[in-house]
Amino acid sequence: MNVRDRVTALRQKMNEHSLSAYLIPSSDPHQSEYLPENYKTREFISGFTGSAGTVLVTKDKAILWTDGRYFLQAEKQLEGSGVELYKMLEPGVPTINEFLKTNLKKGEKLGMDGKVVAVSTFDSMEKDLEGIELITNIDLIGAIWENRPKAVLSEAFILEEKYTGKSAKEKIEEVRSMLAERKADSTVIGALEDVCYLFNVRGRDVRCNPVVTAYAIVDKARAIIFIDSKQLTDKVRSYFSSQGVTVMGYDDVFAETAKLAGKVYIDPARTNVYLYTQINANIERGLNLTSTLKAIKNNVELKNFDDAMEKDGAAMVKILKWVEENAGKGITEWDVSEKLLKFRAEGKDFFEESFETISGYGPNGAIIHYAPSSSNSSKLEAKSFLLLDSGGQYLNGTTDITRTIKLGELTEQEKTDYTLVLKAHISLARAKFKVGTTGHAIDTIAREHLWARGRDYKHGTGHGVGFVLSVHEGPQSISSKFLDVPMKPGMVTSNEPGLYVAGSHGIRIESLVVTTEFTKTDDGEFYQFKTITLCPIDTSPIVPGILSDEDIKWLNDYHKEVHDRLSPYLDEEHKAFLIEKTKAI
C-alpha cells in the first residue's frame, strides 16, 4: 500500500467507529522522540520520516504538522501523497487544536490511541475542544498496518559506576527525598531514558538510543522496574537485587499503578493517557524528578564526557582530512557518513551512532535534518560546503557535533553566511549570565548577529544532551520558545546556530558546552559555558572584519586546546593536518 491507500484504509476504519477525525502523533507509549520501528505510525501513514510531526486525518483531509527543521524535507516527502503540510508557527497556519475547533462540530468524535498520546496533549485538547468527544482507546493504525515490525527487546547491560558516578541505590534515595519534599508518596516514570538513568541500565532497543523498554515506580519502600524478563541477564538481575530494585513484567505496571495510594507524582508530558487513567490516587504533576537529576551531570560523568570528546574529536579530524582530499573525486554524502562511522568505531568503547548522520552537500545542507541513503546521495564536488552533523555513543559519553566543511570555491554569500554563523557560535560560547537565567534569554546572544542583517534560523540554538542516553534531552534548551528552566552548573547543552538558503547551501556549527561557575560579586552569582567538544572549526571561509578581536582570541585559544588534546590520538599524517587546521588566525 502507498500513502494514499493507507489513508483510505484508515478512513474506512474511522467510518466503522463513527470517527470524524483521527490523530497520529510521533510517539510511543513512553513519549519518546526517537522511536522504535514498530511505533513509527506517523511515518507509516504519511511517508514523512522526520523525528517530529503529527498527522490528522479527517473525512476529506490528511494533514501533517511539523516544525521549521523539516519544512523542506516534508515538502519533498509529501509530494503526490495527498497529505498536506501545515508549517507550525508560521503566520496564518492554525495549530491542530485550532483546526479541529474550526472543522469539527460539537458531538463529533476525534479518535486516538491513548497509549501513545501524552497526558499534556490530551489535556490541551480537552480544554480547547469543548463539545468534541475524545476517544482514546482505539488503535486504528495497528488495525491497518500489515507486517508491522516486531518490538526489539535487546539484552540489557549495567552501565558501571565508574561511568555513572552514582549507584542506582543513591539515585533512588534522591528520588525519595524529592518525593518527601513534595509530600508525595510515589512516582510513576514512563520515559525510557529516565528509567535507564535511575537504574544504571542500558540496552539497544531503539536505534542510536541505548535504552531498554521499561517503566518504573518508586515509593517510600519499593523501587520497581517493569521490563520483559527476556531482556535481563543474571548480571543485571544481580545488580538490581543489590540496589534494592524489584523486577516485574512490563505490562504489570498498569495493575501496580492502580494499587498506588496517597499522592502519585507524574510528568504529564512523559506519561501516556492509558497509564494515567489507571491511577486511582491523588495526582501531582510536574517534570519527572529523574529528569531534573540527570540533567545535571556529576563530576565523574563530566570527566567521562571529556574522554569521549577526545576519541570523537580524533575521528572527526580523520573525516575532515578524508573529505578534503576526496571531494570532487566521486565520493558521495553517504560515503562520508559510512566513513565517519568507521573512524568512530576505531575509538575505544564506541558502540553506535547517537543519531542518523546528517551529511548534506550544497543545497541538501539547507534541509536542516537531511539524511542521505545508499540509494539517494549527492556527489561532493570541489566547491561549496558539506554540512556534517553527527554523533557517537560511547560507554563514557554521548557526542553531537556539526562542522561545515569548505570543499573548494565559495560564493561571497557562502563566506559571509559562514562567518556570521561562526560569530553567533562564538558569542554563545563566550556568554556570561546570572544565576536563574533561562535558555530563552540566552538564545538572543547567538541570534542577534544574524538578526542585525535580517537573517535567522528555524530551529533551537541548543538542546540538552544525555549521558549515554538520548542525544536530545531536557529539561533545558536554548531556544526562542520560553521554558522556565534556568541553566545550572553541570548541564551539557549544544551550541548550534545556523543559516540555510534553500536551493543553495546550509551552514551550522555545533559543539557541546557545559555550564560552569564564572564569578561571584556584590551583584550576585554568574555562570558561563565551557566548550567540551574538540574538533577544528574551518577558518578558511572567514570574511575579515566580522569577528571581533575577542572572537578571534576565543577561536585561537579553542584551537590550541583542540590541538593539544587530540594530537596524542593521531598518527603523524593526521597530526600534521591538525596543526594546519588549528593555526592561529
Side-chain angles (χ1 to χ4, degrees):
M1 289 196 295
N2 60 28
V3 168
R4 287 181 180 273
D5 294 334
R6 292 168 184 171
V7 171
T8 297
L10 177 59
R11 287 192 175 119
Q12 290 172 350
K13 292 293 181 183
M14 288 165 55
N15 188 52
E16 291 173 13
H17 292 85
S18 302
L19 299 177
S20 298
Y22 193 77
L23 185 78
I24 307 103
S26 301
S27 192
D28 67 358
H30 305 273
Q31 281 62 60
S32 307
E33 177 182 2
Y34 295 101
L35 303 174
E37 293 298 321
N38 59 314
Y39 275 104
K40 292 184 177 180
T41 52
R42 188 227 57 229
E43 179 180 329
F44 169 81
I45 199 65
S46 69
F48 169 63
T49 61
S51 67
T54 300
V55 167
L56 181 74
V57 176
T58 66
K59 293 175 181 178
D60 58 358
K61 282 182 177 287
I63 305 166
L64 166 74
W65 277 263
T66 193
D67 63 64
R69 295 173 296 170
Y70 295 108
F71 290 168
L72 294 177
Q73 178 181 338
E75 285 171 356
K76 284 187 174 183
Q77 292 184 328
L78 297 183
E79 191 173 349
S81 69
V83 179
E84 298 178 53
L85 172 62
Y86 277 28
K87 298 179 178 181
M88 292 169 62
L89 302 179
E90 292 294 288
V93 177
T95 64
I96 296 171
N97 288 6
E98 288 168 346
F99 178 88
L100 287 165
K101 196 170 183 179
T102 302
N103 289 272
L104 263 62
K105 298 171 186 171
K106 287 189 177 182
E108 290 192 276
K109 296 178 181 179
L110 167 64
M112 64 194 80
D113 178 3
K115 286 189 176 180
V116 300
V117 175
V119 171
S120 56
T121 300
F122 178 82
D123 285 350
S124 72
M125 288 189 155
E126 194 171 46
K127 178 184 174 184
D128 293 346
L129 305 178
E130 187 179 350
I132 295 171
E133 189 176 351
L134 305 182
I135 309 297
T136 63
N137 61 347
I138 188 162
D139 175 16
L140 295 188
I141 299 298
I144 65 170
W145 192 348
E146 297 176 1
N147 302 314
R148 185 173 185 170
K150 295 190 182 304
V152 173
L153 298 176
S154 63
E155 183 177 289
F157 65 93
I158 298 301
L159 194 63
E160 297 175 53
E161 288 165 31
K162 67 179 180 180
Y163 300 125
T164 66
K166 288 182 184 177
S167 67
K169 186 181 294 184
E170 288 175 286
K171 294 178 182 180
I172 291 164
E173 288 306 316
E174 287 178 326
V175 170
R176 286 179 175 143
S177 295
M178 295 171 82
L179 285 171
E181 289 171 10
R182 290 160 177 77
K183 295 182 170 54
D185 298 286
S186 61
T187 184
V188 181
I189 305 170
L192 300 182
E193 63 271 26
D194 286 65
V195 175
C196 290
Y197 162 83
L198 179 62
F199 297 130
N200 285 345
V201 64
R202 301 293 191 271
R204 302 288 293 275
D205 288 9
V206 182
R207 185 185 171 211
C208 302
N209 290 258
V211 295
V212 291
T213 306
Y215 291 97
I217 289 177
V218 177
D219 61 24
K220 295 171 183 176
R222 304 175 303 162
I224 309 170
I225 184 169
F226 299 89
I227 186 170
D228 192 305
S229 61
K230 293 196 293 285
Q231 297 194 252
L232 303 180
T233 63
D234 290 342
K235 185 177 180 180
V236 172
R237 286 181 183 277
S238 176
Y239 179 77
F240 284 162
S241 178
S242 73
Q243 302 299 303
V245 178
T246 301
V247 176
M248 298 185 74
Y250 178 77
D251 289 325
D252 292 339
V253 67
F254 305 112
E256 288 300 313
T257 297
K259 297 175 187 175
L260 296 174
K263 186 192 290 184
V264 179
Y265 185 94
I266 63 111
D267 185 339
R270 301 303 304 270
T271 304
N272 70 62
V273 171
Y274 180 78
L275 179 60
Y276 180 79
T277 58
Q278 309 306 305
I279 301 173
N280 297 309
N282 295 323
I283 296 172
E284 181 176 345
R285 301 178 179 209
L287 180 71
N288 268 328
L289 305 178
T290 38
S291 294
T292 299
L293 292 172
K294 70 182 172 63
I296 299 173
K297 277 58 179 178
N298 61 50
N299 289 335
V300 173
E301 289 173 315
L302 291 174
K303 174 62 172 67
N304 277 301
F305 257 121
D306 283 341
D307 292 345
M309 292 299 171
E310 291 176 355
K311 292 179 289 190
D312 205 64
M316 285 299 301
V317 169
K318 293 173 185 177
I319 197 64
L320 293 179
K321 183 175 185 295
W322 187 82
V323 167
E324 285 196 10
E325 291 176 348
N326 289 282
K329 298 179 181 178
I331 66 168
T332 67
E333 300 159 326
W334 176 254
D335 294 332
V336 174
S337 175
E338 291 295 287
K339 194 73 171 179
L340 177 53
L341 178 59
K342 176 180 175 293
F343 287 143
R344 277 204 169 98
E346 293 172 358
K348 183 183 177 186
D349 294 331
F350 171 85
F351 60 92
E352 68 177 330
E353 297 168 294
S354 59
F355 58 96
E356 188 175 19
T357 295
I358 299 165
S359 175
Y361 170 67
N364 289 336
I367 302 172
I368 296 171
H369 275 200
Y370 171 84
S373 66
S374 57
S375 59
N376 185 17
S377 181
S378 295
K379 287 185 177 180
L380 275 57
E381 299 177 34
K383 63 178 182 179
S384 194
F385 285 124
L386 173 71
L387 189 157
L388 185 60
D389 186 349
S390 66
Q393 295 283 10
Y394 301 81
L395 287 177
N396 57 351
T398 300
T399 69
D400 183 2
I401 176 174
T402 307
R403 292 296 183 261
T404 301
I405 308 164
K406 174 188 171 185
L407 301 183
E409 184 180 350
L410 300 175
T411 66
E412 289 305 311
Q413 183 183 8
E414 285 173 324
K415 292 176 187 176
T416 299
D417 286 355
Y418 182 92
T419 312
L420 288 171
V421 171
L422 178 54
K423 185 172 182 66
H425 178 88
I426 294 173
S427 296
L428 191 64
R430 294 176 50 225
K432 310 291 188 288
F433 47 94
K434 197 171 183 180
V435 168
T437 303
T438 65
H440 174 71
I442 295 169
D443 183 66
T444 58
I445 294 173
R447 293 185 196 264
E448 65 170 328
H449 306 291
L450 309 182
W451 289 350
R453 300 196 180 210
R455 310 291 297 282
D456 201 7
Y457 47 94
K458 295 181 185 294
H459 58 75
T461 303
H463 56 81
V465 176
F467 181 77
V468 199
L469 285 169
S470 176
V471 74
H472 287 173
E473 174 182 279
Q476 84 276 21
S477 73
I478 302 173
S479 169
S480 55
K481 180 181 177 183
F482 178 74
L483 287 174
D484 190 17
V485 179
M487 305 300 292
K488 294 182 179 180
M491 285 182 167
V492 174
T493 312
S494 68
N495 167 9
E496 51 180 309
L499 280 176
Y500 310 91
V501 180
S504 177
H505 61 276
I507 296 160
R508 186 162 62 251
I509 299 172
E510 175 189 17
S511 294
L512 301 188
V513 299
V514 61
T515 305
T516 66
E517 294 178 355
F518 170 52
T519 190
K520 289 182 182 179
T521 70
D522 291 344
D523 292 320
E525 189 173 355
F526 295 82
Y527 296 154
Q528 63 186 349
F529 290 132
K530 179 185 185 299
T531 298
I532 59 175
T533 296
L534 297 168
C535 177
I537 297 171
D538 198 346
T539 58
S540 61
I542 294 174
V543 175
I546 294 178
L547 299 184
S548 69
D549 290 344
E550 292 82 2
D551 294 334
I552 292 170
K553 181 181 184 306
W554 181 92
L555 185 58
N556 288 337
D557 289 347
Y558 173 69
H559 274 155
K560 183 178 185 308
E561 182 183 10
V562 168
H563 171 268
D564 292 348
R565 289 179 59 188
L566 295 188
S567 289
Y569 291 84
L570 301 171
D571 60 24
E572 293 306 314
E573 190 178 345
H574 286 96
K575 281 181 183 176
F577 176 82
L578 181 63
I579 289 171
E580 182 64 28
K581 289 301 173 181
T582 55
K583 275 184 179 177
I585 60 170

